[in-house]
Amino acid sequence: MPSTSQTSAGPGTHPPLPRGARDAQDAPAAAGLLSRLGLRFTAWAERWFPDAFVFAAIAVVVVAGAALLNGSSPQAVAKSFGDGFWSLIVFTMQMALVAIGGYVVATSPPAARLIRKLAALPVSGRQAIAYVAAISMILSLFNWGISLIFSALYVRALAGRLDLRMDYRAGGAAAYLGMGATWALGLSSSAAQLQANASSLPKSILDITGVIPFSQTIFLWQSVVMALVLIVVSVAIALWSAPDAKHAVTAQDLGVDLSEAKPASPESAERRPGEWFERSPLLTLLLCALGFGWLAQEFMAKSPLVAISGLNTYNLLFLMIGLLLHWRPRSFLDAVSRSVPSTAGVIIQFPLYGAIAAMLTGAKGDAGITLSDRIAHLFVSISNVDSFAVVMGAYSAVLGFFIPSGGGKWIIEAPYVMQAANDLKVHLGWAVQVYNAAEALPNLINPFWMLPLLGVLSLKARDIVGFTFLQLLVHAPLVLFMLWAFGRTLGYVAPVMP
């Protein structure tokens, strides 16, 4: 994902709207009562929400304090903090590469050509928004990084078609639906990937859950149906809530510059001997031959579900595809450089999440009871096998407003949530999917994950959140109902240890 400074006009730098655009912005179709509530919430969040790192640091302090109140000694708390700090180093690198691989593929020259072809398909602005919504959510099932960047670039391409008069804000909101509705139900789900990889799981979680393969999480038929329902419903809401051509606020109305910066051509740059390797596809072909050769052996030796569930396999696949699509090493490296800033949050926050998980499960208090044990007992006391999905889903969604990292938050929640699932005899794979479906809900109005997309679109969160808030109002009850209903069709399976 790109940093928010990569466009010539950063997010929110557009000038005040002209009178006609302001009138359109006030139209009922564009900003009804519910949309205005969403806009007010986001304005509040932009003003008062600190960086996600601050929430992670506060969580460390709160958990450490709670462990002390639970009877743990200061020495035990400090030791568990240090023991857990580096426990996620492998997973941290893997998650950073998910973002990098997705960005590299989405910004490749073939992807740009595909975007131009797709931009020619819609015949109206509202139809264009429906296209964006569908593409965003479908791509998110493969890689959330591709979904965010490809969809944002697609909106920019559609905005360049003056005949469509597409509402640029509604288009941006539709592009974000992959991250706000379906990404966690797909292949790049942090929780599902983590649970399927014993080498990436902290021992404190592995001892509770064992290894849970994709066949028991994202590839359950219940999960697949839930994803399909969310796609259909989200596209319908995006279509019906989009302003018509008369009331649309276009990119031109907002003063957004849609021109693309052209890189210097190889012929115009000063040539150095080392540039030959940077611009020659020879190294690309050799590296891809090795990478795809290993991948072929991996997929022939294992079932496709097992092979793709390996994070190393998954990341190598997307990096090799990205390298091949960029063709020349210099183009590939430029794309990687633009994507790296967006991984800063993952790199610096995941060690804190690992420390939190260790304090929850390792700092024993009175009678050898940990903080994780106490929270698990609380979940068991207020829920049963039928209500677990709703209680956990609501809790996870609320916590997601403050810790907007799917993988990091799972590290914190998994020890006590999965222990409660074991105690109540809830299907462990479905417990992961309950988390996944609920975790995406706060993304719809939390500005954190919007930033890469907003940077590409030169918008602010307040420009799109009125539309995403409408999605949240429908998604929240729908998701909780499906989690409860589908959960009743699954029985408990004991943890499988590697």
Side-chain angles (χ1 to χ4, degrees), residues 414-484:
Y416 52 86
V417 164
M418 296 303 277
Q419 184 60 56
N422 273 321
D423 294 343
L424 293 170
K425 304 304 179 186
V426 173
H427 188 281
L428 295 181
W430 190 245
V432 176
Q433 291 307 89
V434 168
Y435 169 84
N436 278 331
E439 193 280 329
L441 292 174
N443 288 347
L444 287 167
I445 55 175
N446 192 321
F448 181 76
W449 286 116
M450 293 180 184
L451 294 178
L453 177 135
L454 297 172
V456 174
L457 296 177
S458 300
L459 291 173
K460 291 192 70 174
R462 70 178 71 247
D463 292 318
I464 71 172
V465 80
F467 299 97
T468 58
F469 186 68
L470 290 174
Q471 297 277 356
L472 176 63
L473 291 173
V474 177
H475 282 212
L478 176 62
V479 166
L480 292 177
F481 171 77
M482 288 193 292
L483 292 175
W484 168 79

Side-chain angles (χ1 to χ4, degrees), residues 268-344:
S268 63
E270 182 181 351
R271 302 306 293 269
R272 293 174 290 124
E275 287 185 356
W276 187 88
F277 290 102
E278 296 177 5
R279 303 188 186 282
S280 169
L282 177 61
L283 287 177
T284 295
L285 293 173
L286 293 175
L287 287 174
C288 287
L290 291 171
F292 284 116
W294 182 85
L295 288 166
Q297 294 180 64
E298 191 74 0
F299 278 90
M300 286 189 292
K302 304 174 182 177
S303 74
L305 294 186
V306 173
I308 198 63
S309 67
L311 265 172
N312 291 335
T313 303
Y314 177 86
N315 279 329
L316 181 61
L317 174 63
F318 277 95
L319 286 174
M320 289 297 102
I321 291 174
L323 179 59
L324 188 63
L325 292 177
H326 279 273
W327 193 240
R328 303 180 189 279
R330 172 45 52 199
S331 175
F332 174 79
L333 291 173
D334 288 344
V336 170
S337 297
R338 292 193 298 271
S339 70
V340 165
S342 67
T343 66

Side-chain angles (χ1 to χ4, degrees), residues 205 356-357 360 372 375 379 392-393 395-397 399-400 403 406-419 435 439:
I205 299 176
I356 291 171
L360 284 168
S372 176
I375 301 175
F379 267 93
M392 178 191 163
Y395 163 80
S396 185
L399 185 61
I403 304 178
K409 189 161 71 69
W410 179 245
I411 296 299
I412 297 171
E413 287 189 42
Y416 52 86
V417 164
M418 296 303 277
Q419 184 60 56
Y435 169 84
E439 193 280 329

Side-chain angles (χ1 to χ4, degrees), residues 97-453:
L97 285 171
V98 170
I100 292 171
Y103 179 89
V104 166
V105 172
T107 57
S108 65
R113 290 194 290 271
L114 177 60
I115 286 171
R116 287 194 292 271
K117 291 181 180 179
L118 290 174
L121 296 179
V123 296
S124 70
R126 298 180 74 180
Q127 187 184 86
I129 289 168
Y131 272 62
V132 172
I135 289 172
S136 172
M137 288 182 285
I138 292 170
L139 287 178
S140 75
L141 296 175
F142 297 94
N143 183 291
W144 58 262
I146 292 178
S147 173
L148 269 180
I149 305 307
F150 186 95
S151 301
L153 295 173
Y154 184 37
V155 170
R156 287 180 66 91
L158 289 167
R161 283 188 55 188
L162 301 182
D163 59 305
L164 288 179
R165 283 205 57 81
M166 179 190 73
D167 190 289
Y168 194 59
R169 304 160 306 164
Y176 188 61
L177 286 177
M179 202 67 194
T182 51
W183 82 273
L185 300 175
L187 291 175
S188 59
S189 162
S190 303
Q193 284 278 12
L194 186 64
Q195 289 296 156
N197 288 269
S199 61
S200 301
L201 267 175
K203 187 176 185 301
S204 57
I205 299 176
L206 182 62
D207 290 344
I208 298 171
T209 67
V211 174
I212 306 175
F214 275 4
S215 61
Q216 295 299 304
T217 54
I218 62 173
F219 287 121
L220 287 169
W221 71 260
Q222 293 89 342
S223 180
V224 173
V225 171
M226 183 161 55
L228 291 174
V229 169
L230 287 174
I231 290 173
V232 172
V233 170
S234 301
V235 170
I237 297 171
L239 178 64
W240 294 336
S241 65
D244 58 22
K246 179 181 178 181
H247 296 109
V249 177
T250 66
Q252 292 74 23
D253 292 331
L254 294 168
V256 175
D257 182 7
L258 296 175
S259 61
E260 298 180 10
K262 300 293 183 181
S265 64
E267 292 75 20
S268 63
E270 182 181 351
R271 302 306 293 269
R272 293 174 290 124
E275 287 185 356
W276 187 88
F277 290 102
E278 296 177 5
R279 303 188 186 282
S280 169
L282 177 61
L283 287 177
T284 295
L285 293 173
L286 293 175
L287 287 174
C288 287
L290 291 171
F292 284 116
W294 182 85
L295 288 166
Q297 294 180 64
E298 191 74 0
F299 278 90
M300 286 189 292
K302 304 174 182 177
S303 74
L305 294 186
V306 173
I308 198 63
S309 67
L311 265 172
N312 291 335
T313 303
Y314 177 86
N315 279 329
L316 181 61
L317 174 63
F318 277 95
L319 286 174
M320 289 297 102
I321 291 174
L323 179 59
L324 188 63
L325 292 177
H326 279 273
W327 193 240
R328 303 180 189 279
R330 172 45 52 199
S331 175
F332 174 79
L333 291 173
D334 288 344
V336 170
S337 297
R338 292 193 298 271
S339 70
V340 165
S342 67
T343 66
V346 170
I347 292 171
I348 199 61
Q349 289 172 43
F350 271 46
L352 296 181
Y353 297 140
I356 291 171
M359 289 189 291
L360 284 168
T361 59
K364 295 184 178 180
D366 299 331
I369 297 177
T370 66
L371 195 58
S372 176
D373 292 330
R374 292 197 182 278
I375 301 175
H377 293 157
L378 175 63
F379 267 93
V380 172
S381 68
I382 63 175
S383 60
N384 54 44
V385 67
D386 284 331
S387 63
F388 176 83
V390 175
V391 172
M392 178 191 163
Y395 163 80
S396 185
V398 171
L399 185 61
F401 285 112
F402 304 98
I403 304 178
S405 168
K409 189 161 71 69
W410 179 245
I411 296 299
I412 297 171
E413 287 189 42
Y416 52 86
V417 164
M418 296 303 277
Q419 184 60 56
N422 273 321
D423 294 343
L424 293 170
K425 304 304 179 186
V426 173
H427 188 281
L428 295 181
W430 190 245
V432 176
Q433 291 307 89
V434 168
Y435 169 84
N436 278 331
E439 193 280 329
L441 292 174
N443 288 347
L444 287 167
I445 55 175
N446 192 321
F448 181 76
W449 286 116
M450 293 180 184
L451 294 178
L453 177 135

